[in-house]
Amino acid sequence: MGTNVSGIHGGRLAPADYEKNFSDLHPPLDHHEALVAADRCYFCYDAPCMTACPTSIDIPMFIRQISTGNPIGSAKTIFDQNILGGVCARVCPTETLCEQVCVRNTAEERPVEIGRLQRYATDTAMEQNIQFYQRAERTGSRIAVVGAGPAGLACAHRLAMNGHDVIIFDARVKPGGLNEYGIATYKSTDDFAQREVDYLLSIGGIEIRNGQKLGRDFTLGELTENFDAVFLGMGLAGVNALKTEGEQLSGVEDAVDFIAALRQVENKADIAIGRRVVVIGGGMTAIDAAVQSKLLGAEEVTICYRRGKEHMNASEYEQDLATSKGVMIRHWLQPKRVIGKDGKVAGIEVEYTAMQDGRLVGTGETGILAADQIFKAIGQTFDPTGVGNLRLEAGRIAIDAEGRTSMARVWAGGDCVKAGEDLTVTSVAQGRDAADSINRALAAAANPAVAVA
Amino acid sequence: MADLRNNFVGIKSPNPFWLASAPPTDKAYNVERAFKAGWGGVVWKTLGEEGPPVVNVNGPRYGAIWGADRRLLGLNNIELITDRPLQVNLQEMKQVKMNWPDRALIASIMVPCEEASWKAILPLVEETGADGIELNFGCPHGMSERGMGSAVGQVPEYIEMVVRWCKQYTRMPVITKLTPNITDVRKPARAAKAGGTDAVSLINTINSIVSVDLDSFAPQPTVGGKGSHGGYCGPAVKPIALNMVAEIARDPETYGLPISGIGGVTTWRDAAEFMTLGAGNVQVCTAAMTYGFKIVEEMITGLSDWMDAKGHRTLEDITGRAVPNVTDWQYLNLNYIAKAHIDQDACIKCGRCHIACEDTSHQAITSMVDGVRHFEVMEDECVGCNLCVNVCPVDNCITMVGLEAGVVDQRTGKPVDPNYANWTTHPNNPMARQAAE
Ligand SMILES: Cc1cc2nc3c(=O)[nH]c(=O)nc-3n(C[C@H](O)[C@H](O)[C@H](O)COP(=O)(O)OP(=O)(O)OC[C@H]3O[C@@H](n4cnc5c(N)ncnc54)[C@H](O)[C@@H]3O)c2cc1C
Ligand SMILES: Cc1cc2nc3c(=O)[nH]c(=O)nc-3n(C[C@H](O)[C@H](O)[C@H](O)COP(=O)(O)O)c2cc1C
Ligand code: SF4
Ligand code: SF4
Ligand code: SF4
């Protein structure tokens, strides 16, 4: 049986509860459910959902294919635009993307379940291991991709399709980026990230080298020297610090590390969690850390966010999910000092905040929240080690509309660039589009006359 | 409370909802349940000659088409007439009629096209106390291959002949059930009238192949690898049935001949439509086979509530009311001009009206106005065809608005002519020109 002693401990729950808590948040649609859900789509003209999808999947078409009994064709419609359509179906905040603008909302406040339908189609094709793409004739061009997250994988796949040879370098031991190390456990279960990487690699022409870190094991200069083009999809390797007293106390942790450990561990009971947990932040990471703390058996989980509900980066849906799991979300509170006892966290002093003349200020009024564990989820940052003198913008790599960086033959996309939202699907779109740009550039270099025409 | 009591050629029933001759009326067990549920009458499953009964296939008898969410829209069957011995049916009919004296019980009959056969069966049926008979000239499969059913219904002379025999050998009212598998339904109706029928009922099922199994390449329902055409019924056939009923109702030769309306009746509204087009009552099969007998409650309350709301007291108040408004195309008023109008508050911006009009009609609906997704009818292009109304997923969102006389039609630039004018006098009509010359 579980335990509710104070401090930070594993095994707070009975084994069966872990299983239940970390199973699929949205179970897959079965065949009948998929047909019923698909029937609701109106096959809109110039469909708003399609416009809202960062990868512009032809949503009305793939749904129509499901309803006509062609889930395989449907999967191809999805993968044509988004080769990571499988993970996107699971993790996209559809409530702020395609489903938010679905015209069904207007009359019924209930959109077509685009995400779940997308999962139905992609699962069907992936379960049968149906491969839709073949490599074009080999071009002989070699391209280096740094980072095997959504951006890097999408870029590599598109490049391989066009006949180029791709080598992906990734610092971590497994590919997938945050699909593997970041996404909440209950959004992507059963080792989906690795299965998806395998599915995608089946096209051939892509080699992944794990444990290879740019800035430590090789330099950008070496890459540009040895490859015809380089794509950087390194995500955000750094995290913001609280910069308050007591941050170094045992029990103060980065939310992303906690989430990564939770995803990797074999037995969830091995993850130690506080009886009282405070999460600092207001984004998706804060929500995921808080919800999963609760699912691990924390008795009391509080999110402290320094602005109002409407300013939170986490969608309304995510916030509701957190509160439904028993997480308390408190607004207009900023951390002031972590309070320790015997070198361990005992609580956190927070200060009320307010907007004054358009600026956020502390009001001076403070209070103390008891806590055994504090997760910092106040934003990830781009770690520029190894990118040399690439031009940055607001701390991330600057790119143009095609994904080109300030350096010739170097492209970038995903979270590490200053463009678009930090989402899996946005990263896929940017990786894919950069690949197209690289392809055009290589074709132009190989055949300048055509390029002029 | 509206009075729903029905008197159809002297046959009385508490409401105008009868079950058509089909599986729901195949035996006492079903019919008892139907009467308990509230059905006004039944036409017993078609009886055949004395002797060994027909046999049905032992594989699937039905096929279907579906709409969204697998709602059944059309049913197809290859069932024959009753496969139970005549005597069993007659005994049960007699008992049921005794149990339910206030309900209508009609015997449907199909025997070979010989006088002796009809002469033989009629007294047996009469003895049951049945209120009337219905001649099944409609069954389009199986029985027709044996020279019965629609094989008779497709030859007006045979219809007239058989009806005449029946009128001669029984005192019971005769209802002649017509097949829709014919070019002009007025011909068999006229023949039935000439033979002295008391009423016609229509439609029976329509020849159909409902689907093909794309693995076995066989029509469905598939029986041992083969399929045969079947009879189509259910909501999908209603428009065909309504037209046929209206054709008979407004034909000067059959005008006033009582009609029992059949084909796709699923709700009170369908029933009301049949009745306004001239049906004295309706018969239902597929809707009951899809949802069970309870649906009659909705039909009764729906019809009654609508009649109350509109101030119609009896069924006579509504029967045939739409018949005078059914006309030929050539008499439609060409000076009537309507334009589509989109209710912007109801519009959900799916764009279906736009793409339908843009790709297939008159390019009269915007998709974007000032850079914003916006669907609005351009009256200078709209021909008032009604396509957009039909494709819009939101009820009442697009409506057709008739232009008042004198208002300028922006498409033609001409004011709306207040006078009625039809094709027969139109200058583009060569016939009209000839007449004028
Ligand atoms: C906790 C959390 C939850 C999230 N939940 C969602 C969600 O539900 N839905 C959603 O759409 N988005 C979510 N996101 C955001 C989403 O995961 C990211 O936007 C997306 O993964 C970015 O993809 P990427 O390829 O740019 O980077 P990443 O996925 O971060 O991948 C970058 C890869 O580069 C590697 N790398 C980094 N530095 C180097 C280096 N120097 N040398 C070599 N390799 C390097 C890393 O090991 C990693 O594999 C979440 C993010 C977090 C942190
Ligand atoms: C399975 C089945 C069997 C039928 N058998 C008969 C029959 O024996 N005699 C008959 O006159 N009509 C028969 N019909 C036709 C129905 O009585 C009715 O005319 C037709 O189904 C149209 O009405 P609906 O749309 O309400 O079903 C049958 C229909 C079905 C579906
Ligand atoms: S907006 Fe909704 S109804 Fe329209 S195509 Fe997209 S999913 Fe279908
Ligand atoms: S009524 Fe016809 S022409 Fe007019 S807008 Fe609608 S579809 Fe177009
Ligand atoms: S079809 Fe109807 S709901 Fe859709 S855009 Fe047109 S008017 Fe609006």
Side-chain angles (χ1 to χ4, degrees):
Chain A
M1 273 309 17
T3 166
N4 63 358
V5 294
S6 78
I8 305 178
H9 301 282
R12 287 196 178 272
L13 303 175
D17 289 333
Y18 286 104
E19 180 133 344
K20 193 176 89 210
N21 288 354
F22 291 95
S23 62
D24 249 318
L25 178 63
H26 299 293
L29 295 173
D30 68 21
H31 176 70
H32 170 76
E33 290 171 315
L35 289 182
V36 173
D39 272 341
R40 294 187 65 240
C41 175
Y42 287 136
F43 200 71
C44 294
Y45 163 74
D46 188 15
C49 53
M50 190 172 161
T51 312
C53 172
T55 54
S56 310
I57 293 174
D58 191 341
I59 294 165
M61 184 56 74
F62 95 68
I63 295 180
R64 193 173 175 82
Q65 289 169 310
I66 291 175
S67 56
T68 60
N70 185 11
I72 301 297
S74 174
K76 175 155 192 305
T77 302
I78 294 161
F79 290 139
D80 279 351
Q81 287 297 109
N82 180 337
I83 193 65
L84 283 114
V87 71
C88 287
R90 291 164 165 77
V91 309
C92 271
T94 51
E95 65 280 3
T96 61
L97 298 168
C98 52
E99 291 182 18
Q100 181 178 48
V101 298
C102 172
V103 302
R104 279 273 187 182
N105 284 313
T106 316
E108 296 147 68
E109 291 185 29
R110 197 165 73 85
V112 173
E113 292 178 283
I114 301 170
R116 295 181 81 194
L117 285 165
Q118 179 169 325
R119 173 162 177 194
Y120 172 77
T122 51
D123 276 3
T124 306
M126 288 174 70
E127 271 155 22
Q128 298 174 31
N129 194 23
I130 293 176
Q131 294 291 332
F132 296 105
Y133 308 101
Q134 277 170 351
R135 295 192 70 191
E137 206 179 314
R138 277 185 69 183
T139 60
S141 296
R142 292 174 72 245
I143 295 142
V145 169
V146 182
L153 290 170
C155 181
H157 186 268
R158 192 48 75 93
L159 289 169
M161 244 172 88
N162 283 306
H164 310 304
D165 292 329
V166 185
I167 298 180
I168 308 182
F169 301 93
D170 195 291
R172 299 253 205 184
V173 293
K174 287 191 202 169
L178 291 174
N179 291 357
E180 176 60 43
Y181 293 100
I183 295 298
T185 311
Y186 46 78
K187 287 187 187 168
S188 165
T189 59
D190 300 327
D191 209 18
F192 183 77
Q194 293 313 306
R195 285 193 283 130
E196 187 171 47
V197 170
D198 293 344
Y199 179 73
L200 176 152
L201 291 182
S202 308
I203 188 164
I206 304 172
E207 182 195 336
I208 300 188
R209 294 186 188 162
N210 284 106
Q212 295 289 309
K213 186 170 182 183
L214 174 66
R216 182 187 70 196
D217 304 310
F218 53 90
T219 65
L220 186 54
E222 283 165 16
L223 293 182
T224 48
E225 204 163 298
N226 295 322
F227 291 87
D228 297 296
V230 178
F231 175 79
L232 301 175
M234 301 145 69
L236 303 173
V239 286
N240 284 323
L242 283 181
K243 300 189 191 114
T244 57
E245 180 191 329
E247 184 162 5
Q248 75 298 336
L249 286 166
S250 156
V252 181
E253 298 166 35
D254 282 321
V256 285
D257 292 341
F258 159 66
I259 290 168
L262 181 61
R263 281 200 66 96
Q264 296 306 309
V265 74
E266 188 71 23
N267 182 356
K268 303 279 181 261
D270 293 345
I271 296 289
I273 194 74
R275 187 166 72 177
R276 287 174 167 157
V277 175
V278 170
V279 180
I280 310 291
M284 196 115 78
T285 308
I287 297 280
D288 286 358
V291 169
Q292 296 187 102
S293 299
K294 195 75 198 166
L295 298 179
L296 283 170
E299 192 177 272
E300 197 180 288
V301 179
T302 311
I303 291 178
C304 292
Y305 179 54
R306 61 188 180 139
R307 292 171 194 270
K309 179 177 168 66
E310 63 280 16
H311 304 111
M312 286 181 88
N313 263 335
S315 69
E316 183 110 11
Y317 172 84
E318 299 272 345
Q319 297 177 39
D320 288 348
L321 175 73
T323 39
S324 78
K325 299 285 180 198
V327 172
M328 161 102 112
I329 305 182
R330 299 187 58 176
H331 302 104
W332 303 111
L333 286 178
Q334 67 184 9
K336 197 133 178 73
R337 174 172 69 99
V338 180
I339 301 163
K341 197 176 158 205
D342 310 330
K344 292 184 190 160
V345 170
I348 182 164
E349 186 180 352
V350 290
E351 180 183 16
Y352 279 93
T353 55
M355 290 303 281
Q356 235 172 49
D357 308 324
R359 281 186 48 234
L360 188 75
V361 294
T363 62
E365 189 186 350
T366 63
I368 291 175
L369 303 175
D372 322 291
Q373 200 172 23
I374 294 173
F375 290 124
K376 298 178 283 181
I378 49 177
Q380 288 96 262
T381 54
F382 175 59
D383 174 2
T385 317
V387 300
N389 46 15
L390 268 192
R391 194 166 73 78
L392 303 186
E393 195 184 335
R396 304 201 197 178
I397 303 172
I399 53 166
D400 67 8
E402 286 194 23
R404 287 179 290 225
T405 68
S406 60
M407 200 181 281
R409 292 193 292 119
V410 180
W411 280 256
D415 284 359
C416 67
V417 302
K418 180 74 200 106
E421 283 187 89
D422 290 345
L423 293 175
T424 310
V425 66
T426 316
S427 306
V428 171
Q430 290 171 348
R432 176 199 71 190
D433 294 347
D436 286 339
S437 175
I438 293 171
N439 194 46
R440 282 193 298 274
L442 293 176
N447 197 346
V450 171
V452 174
Chain B
M1 261 290 277
D3 182 358
L4 295 192
R5 279 177 304 173
N6 186 227
N7 183 340
F8 188 75
V9 296
I11 304 168
K12 296 201 172 73
S13 53
N15 62 55
F17 304 108
W18 290 6
L19 283 167
S21 174
T25 63
D26 192 28
K27 52 188 182 310
Y29 179 82
N30 305 75
V31 174
E32 285 279 346
R33 287 176 68 85
F35 284 158
K36 278 197 197 96
W39 290 88
V42 302
V43 183
W44 203 275
K45 174 79 183 164
T46 304
L47 308 172
E49 272 193 301
E50 190 122 34
V54 304
V55 294
N56 270 301
V57 295
N58 296 303
R61 297 175 198 185
Y62 304 117
I65 63 159
W66 299 272
D69 207 2
R70 238 180 112 86
R71 187 171 287 261
L72 189 138
L73 295 182
L75 185 70
N76 158 289
N77 83 89
I78 54 168
E79 187 180 276
L80 304 182
I81 61 173
T82 183
D83 54 12
R84 305 188 317 144
L86 178 64
Q87 287 308 328
V88 174
N89 277 308
L90 294 173
Q91 278 157 23
E92 288 187 6
M93 285 165 64
K94 186 170 186 172
Q95 185 61 48
V96 170
K97 183 64 207 180
M98 257 159 42
N99 296 349
W100 300 89
D102 69 323
R103 308 300 168 95
L105 193 152
I106 313 297
S108 170
I109 309 176
M110 183 196 291
V111 292
C113 207
E114 289 153 14
E115 189 166 359
S117 301
W118 290 92
K119 191 175 172 182
I121 197 167
L122 291 171
L124 304 179
V125 171
E126 204 166 303
E127 207 271 323
T128 65
D131 299 296
I133 58 170
E134 187 179 76
L135 314 184
N136 180 349
F137 294 151
C139 183
H141 44 263
M143 302 313 293
S144 54
E145 295 168 16
R146 303 171 202 180
M148 293 182 267
S150 65
V152 178
Q154 285 164 344
V155 185
E157 295 75 19
Y158 291 174
I159 294 178
E160 184 177 341
M161 179 173 73
V162 176
V163 171
R164 207 177 289 281
W165 293 335
C166 291
K167 285 306 290 179
Q168 189 179 339
Y169 296 118
T170 178
R171 57 159 179 78
M172 294 181 286
V174 174
I175 304 168
T176 306
K177 185 166 180 179
L178 303 179
T179 176
N181 299 309
I182 188 158
T183 323
D184 183 352
V185 78
R186 293 173 303 181
K187 301 279 162 60
R190 287 172 190 164
K193 189 175 180 199
T197 196
D198 295 282
V200 288
S201 57
L202 70 159
I203 57 174
N204 208 309
T205 55
I206 304 174
N207 284 340
S208 61
I209 289 179
V210 89
S211 57
V212 175
D213 183 319
L214 291 179
D215 292 318
S216 64
F217 295 114
Q220 291 172 313
T222 312
V223 181
K226 304 268 187 226
S228 142
H229 80 264
Y232 199 40
C233 46
V237 310
K238 181 186 122 185
I240 297 165
L242 280 180
N243 174 55
M244 290 187 163
V245 165
E247 284 296 285
I248 294 171
R250 72 190 187 97
D251 178 14
E253 291 189 40
T254 49
Y255 186 81
L257 179 66
I259 301 170
S260 184
I262 319 172
V265 176
T266 310
T267 66
W268 71 266
R269 195 176 280 279
D270 301 324
E273 291 176 27
F274 269 96
M275 296 181 76
T276 60
L277 282 175
N281 69 8
V282 294
Q283 299 184 30
V284 176
C285 168
T286 305
M289 291 183 72
T290 312
Y291 303 108
F293 291 143
K294 187 179 171 185
I295 52 161
V296 73
E297 279 177 42
E298 179 279 327
M299 295 183 179
I300 291 169
T301 54
L303 184 64
S304 168
D305 292 347
W306 168 71
M307 287 174 63
D308 287 347
K310 300 286 177 180
H312 306 302
R313 286 181 307 103
T314 68
L315 298 179
E316 283 70 39
D317 290 350
I318 60 168
T319 303
R321 286 287 290 275
V323 176
N325 294 329
V326 184
T327 184
D328 293 342
W329 193 97
Q330 59 180 335
Y331 302 123
L332 295 174
N333 183 3
L334 295 175
N335 282 339
Y336 174 77
I337 297 173
K339 301 282 176 186
H341 178 263
I342 298 177
D343 175 351
Q344 294 299 334
D345 291 334
C347 172
I348 62 171
K349 299 190 170 33
C350 69
R352 275 170 43 166
C353 56
H354 163 80
I355 201 61
C357 190
E358 189 72 15
D359 278 355
T360 71
S361 286
H362 297 85
Q363 299 74 47
I365 299 182
T366 65
S367 61
M368 199 71 91
V369 174
D370 298 334
V372 182
R373 189 174 172 84
H374 182 82
F375 301 93
E376 195 172 310
V377 176
M378 295 176 269
E379 293 209 356
D380 53 344
E381 298 291 346
C382 175
V383 303
C385 74
N386 208 35
L387 176 66
C388 53
V389 173
N390 293 315
V391 303
C392 175
V394 181
D395 195 26
N396 258 322
C397 173
I398 311 184
T399 45
M400 298 305 301
V401 182
L403 298 188
E404 300 281 337
V407 171
V408 174
D409 175 357
Q410 292 182 33
R411 189 174 68 87
T412 58
K414 295 191 190 124
V416 177
D417 189 332
N419 301 308
Y420 165 84
N422 65 41
W423 177 242
T424 61
T425 55
H426 197 277
N428 289 15
N429 179 353
M431 310 298 272
R433 274 207 305 273
Q434 265 168 30
E437 275 157 19

